[in-house]
Amino acid sequence: MYSSMGGPNLEVFKFAVYLFVPLFSLVYFGDPAWYHTHVVPYRDKLLPPLEKTVRELPFEQHRVREELERMKNERLEKARERKDTS
């Protein structure tokens, strides 16, 4: 009749676990209050501020080269400052 695996009660229990664990996690972690208390503080520590991020990526070749040149000059200027302070 039934195998030694557990029977229908075990299957109902497993189905309930498979169904409610993802639903519970979506409800718990999808709450905006949880997001603002647990994610936003670390986001501000890990990611650069929005003012320093590039919002519009250049697609034309001359604009890409200008942006790369600007980034190179920034990097060289920071290296010079570090060298001067050492």
Side-chain angles (χ1 to χ4, degrees):
M1 188 158 157
Y2 292 115
S3 66
S4 63
M5 296 298 287
N9 287 339
L10 178 63
E11 293 300 320
V12 170
F13 174 75
K14 287 189 333 187
F15 177 74
V17 169
Y18 294 155
L19 183 67
F20 288 115
V21 167
L23 288 175
F24 175 75
S25 63
L26 284 173
V27 169
Y28 182 73
F29 295 114
D31 183 29
W34 186 90
Y35 178 82
H36 287 293
T37 55
H38 292 79
V39 176
V40 171
Y42 292 107
R43 181 189 66 186
D44 295 338
K45 290 179 186 177
L46 296 175
L47 300 176
L50 292 176
E51 298 84 36
K52 287 191 145 193
T53 58
V54 177
R55 296 253 181 207
E56 297 174 9
L57 296 175
F59 291 107
E60 296 85 25
Q61 188 174 7
H62 69 280
R63 290 190 61 213
V64 171
R65 289 181 189 206
E66 289 172 1
E67 186 66 22
L68 287 172
E69 188 67 29
R70 184 191 65 77
M71 291 167 57
K72 181 180 175 184
N73 290 336
E74 267 185 23
R75 198 169 43 246
L76 290 172
E77 186 178 317
K78 285 182 183 179
R80 255 187 261 122
E81 289 176 3
R82 277 183 274 161
K83 187 177 178 183
D84 292 342
T85 58
S86 296

